[in-house]
Amino acid sequence: MADSFDVIVIGGGPAGYPAAIRAAQNKLTVACIDAWKNRDGTTAFGGTCLNAGCIPSKALLESSELYHRLREEFSVHGIKASGVEVDVATMQKRKAGIVKKSTDGINALFKAAGVTPLQGRGRLLPGKRVEFTAHDGSRRELTAKHVVLASGSEPTPLRSAAFDGTSILDSWDALELAAAPKRLGVIGAGVIGLELGSVWRRLGSEVVILEALEDFLAIADQQLAKEALRQFKRQGLDIRLGAKVTAAAVAGGAVNVSYTDGKAVQSVTVDKLVVAIGRRPYTDKLLAAGTGVELDERGFIKVDEHCRTGAEAIWAVGDCVRGPMLAHKGKEEGVMVADLIAGRYGEVNYRAIPSVIYTAPEIAWVGETEEQVKASGRAYKVGVFPFLASGRARAMESTAGFAKLIAAVDDDEILGVHIVGPLAGELIAEAVLAMEYSASSEDLQRTMHAHPTLSEAVHEAALAADKRAIDSLNRSP
Ligand SMILES: Cc1cc2nc3c(=O)[nH]c(=O)nc-3n(C[C@H](O)[C@H](O)[C@H](O)COP(=O)(O)OP(=O)(O)OC[C@H]3O[C@@H](n4cnc5c(N)ncnc54)[C@H](O)[C@@H]3O)c2cc1C
């Protein structure tokens, strides 16, 4: 095998592997080094997303939602089921199969594209050299014209509730549980905490979520967050805001969690505790001295808007650099860098990154929240369309939530779209495309949408921004 490549990518997650594939498509010689090891000792490309994040969580969300709907919602359709049981072992087996298919798929893609896969650790040395240590401990020095760092992130630990893998769990542990705990505690009401809490709530756990912030989903549009909180509470998720965890003690197989709620010290006892307070960049042993690559005060690799580090021909993409920690953001950065290396055009539009929370109802948005637009001082208009007024949503028995569009008053530019409701994660794609093409709300208003579809809600929200919605009363729900 060659020791010299046009491009070496360190990290084979959703930021690294697309960089490697696009570089190969650009006729460059490429190696992708990845250190991922599963708990059974097997290796796999795909990083956090495919092995322990996006894909396994969505597999379990789907299974648990079907179980929940069969028990709670099918009877209204005239479908009666008795003796419904959940078999978590089969659910977990299905999930593992989906993960395996997905990660095997990367090997096949690498093979077809001509990417050299190297499983083990990569360490950047000065002078565009990379030390590769295979899992068997053997070492080689490789050289490249360009190196792309895509080492990802890891769960942020909480000193007052240290992970132990048995009672106090990280998100990966929480995806591997063999049975629904009777009482599940989650620290952090962010994307990951809400998704994991939803899975186990639907499978029968009593779930309490402790969130340090006073505002629910502070990063989201607050009208959207308010509606989502209302729905989650109705589903039985016990979400306690302004709850700062001070200690977690494991005794007799249970976890006693202490927290302050601003007034007094409170406590709650659970069988398993998931700590989901966020993720931090992972750059352990990635950089030798003298590479010229710098980290910021939070540990992210410093890059410019094109993902160039301070060192010549060294790039960094994905969760290990600034910006939202999302698989699709990392993917687009990886593709951009591989195109720039090949002398092609490459750009990421950081203003049009969709965010999705795969709860039921789903939550999705792109662009600015109403709070951000208000703070900017720009005059704006808002259109809201409730799913209660959507024929398709009614047919689906899924009428909770709404679509909301914010546009500028001066030039009608779409500034943000926020959806809470059925398949919001799919519906948001139209808004992303509209914003990518700098569409106005009138552009959306004049675009025909098939009837009856959920996408009509986005169309009607655009119309509502000018008080011209046809199927609703042109007022906020
Ligand atoms: C439970 C959960 C659910 C999530 N759901 C979603 C979702 O629905 N949608 C979404 O967009 N995002 C989701 N995310 C976030 C998503 O997983 C990350 O944003 C994404 O994986 C980041 O991609 P990455 O390639 O930057 O890093 P990673 O996926 O972390 O991959 C980095 C890879 O680099 C390897 N590596 C690190 N250091 C080295 C080294 N020195 N040498 C060789 N290899 C190295 C790691 O082993 C890993 O394989 C979720 C995360 C979690 C935990």
Side-chain angles (χ1 to χ4, degrees):
M1 193 198 75
D3 285 340
S4 175
F5 297 88
D6 292 328
V7 181
I8 294 176
V9 182
I10 303 181
Y17 86 78
I21 290 175
R22 175 53 60 87
Q25 287 169 347
N26 286 336
K27 312 262 179 278
L28 300 169
T29 56
V30 195
C32 183
I33 303 174
D34 187 77
W36 188 274
K37 260 200 174 173
N38 287 308
R39 288 175 174 181
D40 62 2
T42 55
T43 57
F45 283 94
T48 306
C49 176
L50 274 70
N51 291 289
C54 325
I55 300 304
S57 60
K58 267 79 251 178
L60 289 185
L61 277 159
E62 191 65 31
S63 300
S64 61
E65 176 66 1
L66 287 177
Y67 173 64
H68 166 80
R69 293 192 66 200
L70 179 57
R71 278 172 51 117
E72 310 288 335
E73 295 175 5
F74 276 26
S75 59
V76 76
H77 294 269
I79 301 170
K80 291 186 186 153
S82 56
V84 178
E85 278 175 32
V86 70
D87 171 5
V88 176
T90 301
M91 242 176 227
Q92 291 287 21
K93 204 168 150 209
R94 186 190 89 97
K95 180 204 77 182
I98 292 164
V99 167
K100 176 93 173 59
K101 262 198 198 110
S102 307
T103 56
D104 283 354
I106 298 181
N107 292 321
L109 292 171
F110 275 0
K111 199 167 173 203
V115 174
T116 301
L118 296 174
Q119 277 162 321
R121 293 199 72 83
R123 183 159 163 261
L124 182 70
L125 308 174
K128 294 185 261 178
R129 292 173 303 128
V130 172
E131 179 188 77
F132 167 60
T133 308
H135 287 304
D136 65 7
S138 59
R139 280 194 188 166
R140 285 167 52 196
E141 196 175 296
L142 311 173
T143 56
K145 293 183 185 144
H146 292 264
V147 179
V148 182
L149 306 172
S151 54
S153 62
E154 61 178 356
T156 306
L158 184 62
R159 208 173 305 148
S160 52
F163 298 125
D164 65 12
T166 310
S167 298
I168 305 182
L169 312 177
D170 66 17
S171 54
W172 193 4
D173 299 323
L175 289 167
E176 300 293 323
L177 289 171
K182 185 165 177 331
R183 297 162 302 178
L184 177 73
V186 180
I187 306 179
V191 178
I192 293 174
L194 287 171
E195 289 187 3
L196 293 172
S198 295
V199 165
W200 295 110
R201 170 78 198 125
R202 291 171 195 160
L203 295 179
S205 300
E206 292 161 22
V207 176
V208 53
I209 303 183
L210 303 171
E211 167 57 54
L213 296 178
E214 296 288 345
D215 291 329
F216 179 64
L217 277 181
I219 49 166
D221 183 279
Q222 283 305 290
Q223 188 179 0
L224 193 86
K226 220 169 114 195
E227 172 65 14
L229 183 59
R230 205 166 64 88
Q231 298 297 335
F232 295 150
K233 285 192 166 168
R234 276 175 67 181
Q235 292 164 14
L237 283 176
D238 178 357
I239 299 173
R240 304 184 191 176
L241 299 172
K244 294 190 181 70
V245 172
T246 51
V250 181
V255 192
N256 193 266
V257 189
S258 306
Y259 64 95
T260 58
D261 65 0
K263 291 181 218 118
V265 177
Q266 310 282 359
S267 75
V268 60
T269 302
V270 293
D271 300 301
K272 302 277 180 196
L273 177 67
V274 180
V275 178
I277 57 167
R279 297 179 62 81
R280 62 184 184 187
Y282 177 77
T283 53
D284 191 33
K285 300 189 191 81
L286 176 69
L287 306 168
T291 61
V293 175
E294 287 180 59
L295 304 184
D296 71 14
E297 62 290 347
R298 294 171 61 205
F300 289 98
I301 298 173
K302 280 192 193 172
V303 288
D304 68 9
E305 74 276 19
H306 287 114
C307 295
R308 286 189 183 89
T309 69
E312 198 229 319
I314 310 296
W315 312 71
V317 295
D319 279 12
C320 65
V321 305
R322 83 290 172 260
M325 287 184 166
L326 293 169
H328 42 278
K329 173 262 191 186
K331 179 180 187 181
E332 293 309 319
E333 287 181 336
V335 166
M336 167 181 75
V337 161
D339 280 341
L340 291 173
I341 288 172
R344 289 169 173 254
Y345 175 79
E347 194 77 50
V348 168
N349 181 357
Y350 287 97
R351 291 186 61 233
I353 299 176
S355 294
V356 181
I357 308 179
Y358 297 84
T359 42
E362 285 187 1
I363 301 170
W365 70 89
V366 60
E368 293 176 293
T369 63
E370 186 168 351
E371 291 73 28
Q372 288 169 329
V373 178
K374 198 178 276 173
S376 75
R378 194 164 178 192
Y380 66 95
K381 52 191 177 176
V382 175
V384 176
F385 183 82
F387 282 104
L388 202 56
S390 153
R392 185 65 192 272
R394 282 199 296 264
M396 292 167 70
E397 283 294 332
S398 215
T399 52
F402 55 81
K404 170 176 178 178
L405 180 141
I406 308 169
V409 166
D410 49 13
D411 61 1
D412 198 30
E413 179 193 359
I414 299 171
L415 302 175
V417 176
H418 308 270
I419 307 172
V420 52
L423 296 177
E426 303 295 331
L427 297 179
I428 203 67
E430 174 180 11
V432 177
L433 190 67
M435 288 186 67
E436 187 65 40
Y437 285 8
S438 305
S440 62
S441 81
E442 188 183 348
D443 289 326
L444 272 191
Q445 290 172 16
R446 294 189 183 281
T447 302
M448 197 183 293
H449 289 67
H451 175 76
T453 60
L454 296 171
S455 71
E456 287 172 293
V458 178
H459 185 213
E460 289 279 333
L463 287 161
D466 285 327
K467 303 266 178 281
R468 292 168 73 80
I470 300 296
D471 286 321
S472 81
L473 301 176
N474 288 298
R475 63 174 191 226
S476 286

Short mmCIF file of all heavy atoms in Angstrom, two decimals, residues 7-9 15-16 18-20 22-23 26 28 146-150 303-309 313-318 321-322 329-348 350:
data_model
loop_
_atom_site.label_atom_id
_atom_site.label_comp_id
_atom_site.label_asym_id
_atom_site.label_seq_id
_atom_site.Cartn_x
_atom_site.Cartn_y
_atom_site.Cartn_z
N VAL A 7 -4.75 13.18 -0.46
CA VAL A 7 -5.54 13.61 0.70
C VAL A 7 -5.60 12.48 1.73
O VAL A 7 -5.87 11.34 1.38
CB VAL A 7 -7.00 13.95 0.28
CG1 VAL A 7 -7.82 14.41 1.49
CG2 VAL A 7 -7.04 15.01 -0.81
N ILE A 8 -5.34 12.83 2.99
CA ILE A 8 -5.60 11.89 4.09
C ILE A 8 -6.68 12.52 4.96
O ILE A 8 -6.58 13.68 5.36
CB ILE A 8 -4.35 11.61 4.94
CG1 ILE A 8 -3.29 10.87 4.10
CG2 ILE A 8 -4.71 10.77 6.18
CD1 ILE A 8 -1.98 10.63 4.84
N VAL A 9 -7.74 11.76 5.19
CA VAL A 9 -8.82 12.22 6.08
C VAL A 9 -8.67 11.46 7.39
O VAL A 9 -8.60 10.22 7.39
CB VAL A 9 -10.21 11.94 5.45
CG1 VAL A 9 -11.31 12.46 6.36
CG2 VAL A 9 -10.32 12.56 4.06
N ALA A 15 -18.71 13.60 8.61
CA ALA A 15 -17.93 14.69 8.03
C ALA A 15 -16.77 14.13 7.23
O ALA A 15 -16.47 14.60 6.12
CB ALA A 15 -17.43 15.62 9.14
N GLY A 16 -16.10 13.11 7.80
CA GLY A 16 -14.89 12.58 7.17
C GLY A 16 -15.14 11.71 5.95
O GLY A 16 -14.48 11.87 4.91
N PRO A 18 -17.67 11.53 3.72
CA PRO A 18 -18.02 12.22 2.47
C PRO A 18 -16.85 13.01 1.89
O PRO A 18 -16.69 13.10 0.67
CB PRO A 18 -19.15 13.16 2.89
CG PRO A 18 -19.72 12.54 4.13
CD PRO A 18 -18.54 11.96 4.83
N ALA A 19 -15.98 13.55 2.77
CA ALA A 19 -14.79 14.27 2.27
C ALA A 19 -13.93 13.30 1.48
O ALA A 19 -13.44 13.64 0.38
CB ALA A 19 -14.01 14.86 3.45
N ALA A 20 -13.76 12.08 2.01
CA ALA A 20 -12.92 11.10 1.33
C ALA A 20 -13.54 10.69 -0.02
O ALA A 20 -12.84 10.62 -1.05
CB ALA A 20 -12.74 9.87 2.22
N ARG A 22 -15.77 12.38 -1.89
CA ARG A 22 -15.74 13.46 -2.89
C ARG A 22 -14.31 13.69 -3.41
O ARG A 22 -14.12 13.93 -4.62
CB ARG A 22 -16.31 14.75 -2.28
CG ARG A 22 -16.23 15.96 -3.19
CD ARG A 22 -16.83 15.75 -4.60
NE ARG A 22 -18.21 15.40 -4.59
CZ ARG A 22 -19.23 16.27 -4.57
NH1 ARG A 22 -18.98 17.57 -4.62
NH2 ARG A 22 -20.48 15.85 -4.57
N ALA A 23 -13.31 13.57 -2.52
CA ALA A 23 -11.93 13.75 -2.98
C ALA A 23 -11.60 12.68 -4.03
O ALA A 23 -10.97 12.97 -5.06
CB ALA A 23 -10.97 13.68 -1.81
N ASN A 26 -13.06 13.42 -7.24
CA ASN A 26 -12.27 14.48 -7.88
C ASN A 26 -10.92 13.97 -8.39
O ASN A 26 -10.01 14.76 -8.66
CB ASN A 26 -12.06 15.64 -6.90
CG ASN A 26 -13.33 16.45 -6.70
OD1 ASN A 26 -14.20 16.47 -7.55
ND2 ASN A 26 -13.43 17.16 -5.57
N LEU A 28 -8.53 12.35 -6.90
CA LEU A 28 -7.38 12.46 -6.01
C LEU A 28 -7.18 11.11 -5.32
O LEU A 28 -8.14 10.35 -5.14
CB LEU A 28 -7.64 13.55 -4.96
CG LEU A 28 -7.89 14.96 -5.55
CD1 LEU A 28 -8.38 15.91 -4.47
CD2 LEU A 28 -6.61 15.50 -6.18
N HIS A 146 -2.68 17.17 1.28
CA HIS A 146 -3.68 17.83 2.14
C HIS A 146 -4.14 16.85 3.21
O HIS A 146 -4.29 15.65 2.92
CB HIS A 146 -4.91 18.25 1.33
CG HIS A 146 -4.63 19.35 0.35
ND1 HIS A 146 -4.85 20.67 0.62
CD2 HIS A 146 -4.11 19.28 -0.91
CE1 HIS A 146 -4.51 21.40 -0.43
NE2 HIS A 146 -4.05 20.59 -1.38
N VAL A 147 -4.41 17.37 4.40
CA VAL A 147 -4.96 16.53 5.47
C VAL A 147 -6.27 17.16 5.94
O VAL A 147 -6.33 18.38 6.16
CB VAL A 147 -3.99 16.38 6.65
CG1 VAL A 147 -4.61 15.52 7.76
CG2 VAL A 147 -2.66 15.77 6.20
N VAL A 148 -7.30 16.33 6.07
CA VAL A 148 -8.59 16.80 6.57
C VAL A 148 -8.83 16.17 7.94
O VAL A 148 -8.85 14.94 8.06
CB VAL A 148 -9.75 16.42 5.61
CG1 VAL A 148 -11.08 16.96 6.14
CG2 VAL A 148 -9.47 16.92 4.19
N LEU A 149 -8.99 17.00 8.96
CA LEU A 149 -9.24 16.51 10.32
C LEU A 149 -10.75 16.45 10.54
O LEU A 149 -11.44 17.45 10.34
CB LEU A 149 -8.60 17.45 11.36
CG LEU A 149 -7.11 17.73 11.15
CD1 LEU A 149 -6.62 18.81 12.12
CD2 LEU A 149 -6.28 16.45 11.32
N ALA A 150 -11.25 15.28 10.92
CA ALA A 150 -12.71 15.10 11.12
C ALA A 150 -12.91 14.17 12.31
O ALA A 150 -13.57 13.14 12.21
CB ALA A 150 -13.34 14.53 9.85
N VAL A 303 -10.97 27.25 12.58
CA VAL A 303 -11.02 27.25 11.11
C VAL A 303 -11.66 28.54 10.62
O VAL A 303 -12.39 29.20 11.37
CB VAL A 303 -11.84 26.06 10.55
CG1 VAL A 303 -11.11 24.74 10.70
CG2 VAL A 303 -13.22 25.99 11.18
N ASP A 304 -11.43 28.84 9.33
CA ASP A 304 -12.15 29.96 8.72
C ASP A 304 -13.45 29.45 8.10
O ASP A 304 -13.83 28.28 8.30
CB ASP A 304 -11.26 30.70 7.70
CG ASP A 304 -10.95 29.85 6.45
OD1 ASP A 304 -11.57 28.75 6.30
OD2 ASP A 304 -10.13 30.25 5.64
N GLU A 305 -14.15 30.31 7.33
CA GLU A 305 -15.46 29.88 6.82
C GLU A 305 -15.35 28.78 5.76
O GLU A 305 -16.35 28.15 5.41
CB GLU A 305 -16.25 31.10 6.28
CG GLU A 305 -15.79 31.68 4.96
CD GLU A 305 -14.62 32.67 5.08
OE1 GLU A 305 -13.93 32.65 6.13
OE2 GLU A 305 -14.39 33.43 4.15
N HIS A 306 -14.13 28.53 5.26
CA HIS A 306 -13.94 27.42 4.32
C HIS A 306 -13.26 26.21 4.97
O HIS A 306 -12.75 25.33 4.27
CB HIS A 306 -13.14 27.90 3.10
CG HIS A 306 -13.95 28.79 2.21
ND1 HIS A 306 -13.67 30.12 2.03
CD2 HIS A 306 -15.07 28.55 1.48
CE1 HIS A 306 -14.57 30.65 1.22
NE2 HIS A 306 -15.44 29.72 0.87
N CYS A 307 -13.26 26.21 6.32
CA CYS A 307 -12.70 25.09 7.08
C CYS A 307 -11.19 24.92 6.94
O CYS A 307 -10.65 23.81 7.11
CB CYS A 307 -13.43 23.77 6.75
SG CYS A 307 -15.15 23.81 7.27
N ARG A 308 -10.50 26.03 6.62
CA ARG A 308 -9.02 26.00 6.62
C ARG A 308 -8.55 26.24 8.04
O ARG A 308 -9.01 27.17 8.70
CB ARG A 308 -8.47 27.13 5.75
CG ARG A 308 -8.62 26.91 4.28
CD ARG A 308 -7.85 28.01 3.53
NE ARG A 308 -8.05 27.84 2.12
CZ ARG A 308 -9.05 28.40 1.43
NH1 ARG A 308 -9.92 29.18 2.03
NH2 ARG A 308 -9.18 28.18 0.14
N THR A 309 -7.62 25.41 8.52
CA THR A 309 -7.00 25.71 9.83
C THR A 309 -5.90 26.74 9.57
O THR A 309 -5.68 27.15 8.42
CB THR A 309 -6.36 24.44 10.43
OG1 THR A 309 -5.22 24.09 9.65
CG2 THR A 309 -7.35 23.29 10.47
N ALA A 313 -2.65 23.75 4.03
CA ALA A 313 -3.18 22.48 3.50
C ALA A 313 -3.72 21.54 4.57
O ALA A 313 -3.88 20.34 4.34
CB ALA A 313 -2.12 21.76 2.65
N ILE A 314 -3.99 22.07 5.76
CA ILE A 314 -4.63 21.26 6.81
C ILE A 314 -6.03 21.86 7.04
O ILE A 314 -6.17 23.05 7.31
CB ILE A 314 -3.85 21.29 8.15
CG1 ILE A 314 -2.37 20.98 7.94
CG2 ILE A 314 -4.50 20.31 9.14
CD1 ILE A 314 -2.05 19.60 7.41
N TRP A 315 -7.04 21.03 6.90
CA TRP A 315 -8.44 21.45 6.98
C TRP A 315 -9.11 20.72 8.14
O TRP A 315 -8.63 19.66 8.56
CB TRP A 315 -9.16 21.08 5.68
CG TRP A 315 -8.46 21.46 4.41
CD1 TRP A 315 -7.33 20.87 3.91
CD2 TRP A 315 -8.82 22.49 3.49
NE1 TRP A 315 -6.97 21.48 2.71
CE2 TRP A 315 -7.87 22.48 2.44
CE3 TRP A 315 -9.85 23.42 3.44
CZ2 TRP A 315 -7.92 23.35 1.36
CZ3 TRP A 315 -9.91 24.29 2.35
CH2 TRP A 315 -8.97 24.26 1.34
N ALA A 316 -10.21 21.25 8.62
CA ALA A 316 -10.95 20.53 9.68
C ALA A 316 -12.45 20.75 9.47
O ALA A 316 -12.88 21.86 9.13
CB ALA A 316 -10.53 21.01 11.07
N VAL A 317 -13.22 19.68 9.69
CA VAL A 317 -14.67 19.70 9.38
C VAL A 317 -15.46 18.95 10.45
O VAL A 317 -14.92 18.12 11.18
CB VAL A 317 -14.94 19.05 8.01
CG1 VAL A 317 -14.32 19.84 6.87
CG2 VAL A 317 -14.43 17.60 7.96
N GLY A 318 -16.76 19.24 10.52
CA GLY A 318 -17.67 18.47 11.37
C GLY A 318 -17.71 18.96 12.81
O GLY A 318 -17.49 20.13 13.10
N VAL A 321 -15.16 21.27 14.76
CA VAL A 321 -15.03 22.71 14.49
C VAL A 321 -16.32 23.42 14.88
O VAL A 321 -17.34 22.79 15.15
CB VAL A 321 -14.67 23.02 13.01
CG1 VAL A 321 -13.42 22.28 12.59
CG2 VAL A 321 -15.83 22.70 12.08
N ARG A 322 -16.26 24.75 14.90
CA ARG A 322 -17.41 25.58 15.33
C ARG A 322 -18.68 25.27 14.51
O ARG A 322 -18.61 24.70 13.44
CB ARG A 322 -17.05 27.10 15.22
CG ARG A 322 -17.20 27.70 13.83
CD ARG A 322 -16.22 27.25 12.82
NE ARG A 322 -16.33 27.58 11.44
CZ ARG A 322 -16.81 26.77 10.51
NH1 ARG A 322 -17.43 25.66 10.80
NH2 ARG A 322 -16.72 27.10 9.25
N LYS A 329 -24.38 19.08 8.53
CA LYS A 329 -23.47 20.24 8.49
C LYS A 329 -22.04 19.73 8.24
O LYS A 329 -21.31 20.25 7.41
CB LYS A 329 -23.60 21.03 9.78
CG LYS A 329 -22.60 22.17 9.96
CD LYS A 329 -21.46 21.70 10.85
CE LYS A 329 -20.55 22.81 11.29
NZ LYS A 329 -19.38 22.29 12.03
N GLY A 330 -21.66 18.65 8.94
CA GLY A 330 -20.33 18.07 8.75
C GLY A 330 -20.16 17.53 7.34
O GLY A 330 -19.10 17.69 6.71
N LYS A 331 -21.21 16.91 6.83
CA LYS A 331 -21.14 16.33 5.48
C LYS A 331 -20.86 17.42 4.43
O LYS A 331 -19.99 17.27 3.57
CB LYS A 331 -22.46 15.62 5.15
CG LYS A 331 -22.49 15.01 3.78
CD LYS A 331 -23.83 14.33 3.52
CE LYS A 331 -23.80 13.57 2.20
NZ LYS A 331 -25.07 12.91 1.90
N GLU A 332 -21.62 18.52 4.54
CA GLU A 332 -21.44 19.59 3.54
C GLU A 332 -20.07 20.23 3.68
O GLU A 332 -19.47 20.64 2.68
CB GLU A 332 -22.55 20.63 3.67
CG GLU A 332 -23.94 20.12 3.29
CD GLU A 332 -23.99 19.42 1.94
OE1 GLU A 332 -23.36 19.90 0.98
OE2 GLU A 332 -24.65 18.37 1.84
N GLU A 333 -19.55 20.32 4.91
CA GLU A 333 -18.19 20.86 5.08
C GLU A 333 -17.16 19.93 4.45
O GLU A 333 -16.22 20.38 3.80
CB GLU A 333 -17.90 21.05 6.57
CG GLU A 333 -18.64 22.23 7.18
CD GLU A 333 -18.34 22.47 8.65
OE1 GLU A 333 -17.93 21.51 9.35
OE2 GLU A 333 -18.55 23.59 9.13
N GLY A 334 -17.35 18.61 4.66
CA GLY A 334 -16.42 17.65 4.08
C GLY A 334 -16.39 17.72 2.56
O GLY A 334 -15.33 17.72 1.93
N VAL A 335 -17.58 17.83 1.97
CA VAL A 335 -17.69 17.91 0.51
C VAL A 335 -17.07 19.22 0.01
O VAL A 335 -16.32 19.24 -0.99
CB VAL A 335 -19.18 17.80 0.09
CG1 VAL A 335 -19.39 18.21 -1.35
CG2 VAL A 335 -19.67 16.36 0.33
N MET A 336 -17.35 20.32 0.71
CA MET A 336 -16.79 21.62 0.31
C MET A 336 -15.26 21.56 0.30
O MET A 336 -14.62 21.97 -0.68
CB MET A 336 -17.24 22.71 1.30
CG MET A 336 -16.47 24.02 1.17
SD MET A 336 -16.99 25.27 2.36
CE MET A 336 -16.25 24.68 3.87
N VAL A 337 -14.68 21.02 1.37
CA VAL A 337 -13.22 20.98 1.47
C VAL A 337 -12.62 20.12 0.36
O VAL A 337 -11.63 20.51 -0.28
CB VAL A 337 -12.83 20.46 2.88
CG1 VAL A 337 -11.40 19.96 2.91
CG2 VAL A 337 -13.05 21.55 3.92
N ALA A 338 -13.25 18.97 0.10
CA ALA A 338 -12.72 18.09 -0.96
C ALA A 338 -12.79 18.78 -2.32
O ALA A 338 -11.92 18.57 -3.17
CB ALA A 338 -13.50 16.78 -0.98
N ASP A 339 -13.80 19.59 -2.54
CA ASP A 339 -13.90 20.32 -3.81
C ASP A 339 -12.88 21.46 -3.87
O ASP A 339 -12.24 21.68 -4.90
CB ASP A 339 -15.33 20.85 -4.01
CG ASP A 339 -16.29 19.78 -4.51
OD1 ASP A 339 -15.80 18.76 -5.04
OD2 ASP A 339 -17.51 19.95 -4.37
N LEU A 340 -12.70 22.16 -2.75
CA LEU A 340 -11.72 23.26 -2.74
C LEU A 340 -10.31 22.71 -2.97
O LEU A 340 -9.52 23.30 -3.72
CB LEU A 340 -11.79 24.03 -1.41
CG LEU A 340 -13.06 24.86 -1.19
CD1 LEU A 340 -13.10 25.43 0.22
CD2 LEU A 340 -13.16 26.00 -2.22
N ILE A 341 -10.01 21.57 -2.35
CA ILE A 341 -8.69 20.95 -2.54
C ILE A 341 -8.45 20.66 -4.02
O ILE A 341 -7.35 20.83 -4.55
CB ILE A 341 -8.57 19.65 -1.70
CG1 ILE A 341 -8.46 20.01 -0.22
CG2 ILE A 341 -7.38 18.80 -2.14
CD1 ILE A 341 -8.54 18.80 0.73
N ALA A 342 -9.51 20.24 -4.70
CA ALA A 342 -9.38 19.88 -6.13
C ALA A 342 -9.45 21.11 -7.04
O ALA A 342 -9.49 20.98 -8.26
CB ALA A 342 -10.49 18.89 -6.50
N GLY A 343 -9.52 22.30 -6.43
CA GLY A 343 -9.56 23.53 -7.25
C GLY A 343 -10.94 23.83 -7.78
O GLY A 343 -11.11 24.64 -8.70
N ARG A 344 -11.95 23.18 -7.22
CA ARG A 344 -13.33 23.44 -7.65
C ARG A 344 -13.99 24.44 -6.71
O ARG A 344 -13.43 24.79 -5.67
CB ARG A 344 -14.15 22.15 -7.60
CG ARG A 344 -13.77 21.16 -8.69
CD ARG A 344 -14.43 19.83 -8.40
NE ARG A 344 -14.22 18.93 -9.51
CZ ARG A 344 -15.18 18.59 -10.38
NH1 ARG A 344 -16.38 19.07 -10.26
NH2 ARG A 344 -14.91 17.77 -11.37
N TYR A 345 -15.23 24.83 -7.06
CA TYR A 345 -16.00 25.73 -6.21
C TYR A 345 -16.51 24.96 -4.99
O TYR A 345 -16.92 23.81 -5.11
CB TYR A 345 -17.18 26.31 -7.01
CG TYR A 345 -18.11 27.15 -6.18
CD1 TYR A 345 -17.77 28.46 -5.86
CD2 TYR A 345 -19.29 26.62 -5.67
CE1 TYR A 345 -18.62 29.23 -5.08
CE2 TYR A 345 -20.14 27.38 -4.90
CZ TYR A 345 -19.80 28.69 -4.60
OH TYR A 345 -20.62 29.43 -3.81
N GLY A 346 -16.47 25.58 -3.85
CA GLY A 346 -17.02 24.94 -2.65
C GLY A 346 -17.48 25.98 -1.65
O GLY A 346 -16.79 26.98 -1.43
N GLU A 347 -18.64 25.78 -1.08
CA GLU A 347 -19.21 26.78 -0.17
C GLU A 347 -20.24 26.08 0.73
O GLU A 347 -20.94 25.19 0.27
CB GLU A 347 -19.94 27.84 -1.03
CG GLU A 347 -20.31 29.11 -0.32
CD GLU A 347 -19.13 30.06 -0.14
OE1 GLU A 347 -18.43 30.33 -1.13
OE2 GLU A 347 -18.93 30.50 1.00
N VAL A 348 -20.30 26.47 1.99
CA VAL A 348 -21.40 26.01 2.86
C VAL A 348 -22.20 27.24 3.26
O VAL A 348 -21.64 28.24 3.70
CB VAL A 348 -20.86 25.30 4.12
CG1 VAL A 348 -21.98 25.08 5.14
CG2 VAL A 348 -20.24 23.96 3.76
N TYR A 350 -24.03 28.68 5.86
CA TYR A 350 -24.28 28.47 7.29
C TYR A 350 -25.60 29.09 7.74
O TYR A 350 -26.03 28.88 8.86
CB TYR A 350 -23.10 29.00 8.11
CG TYR A 350 -21.87 28.11 7.99
CD1 TYR A 350 -20.85 28.41 7.09
CD2 TYR A 350 -21.75 26.96 8.74
CE1 TYR A 350 -19.74 27.60 6.96
CE2 TYR A 350 -20.64 26.13 8.62
CZ TYR A 350 -19.64 26.46 7.73
OH TYR A 350 -18.55 25.63 7.60
#
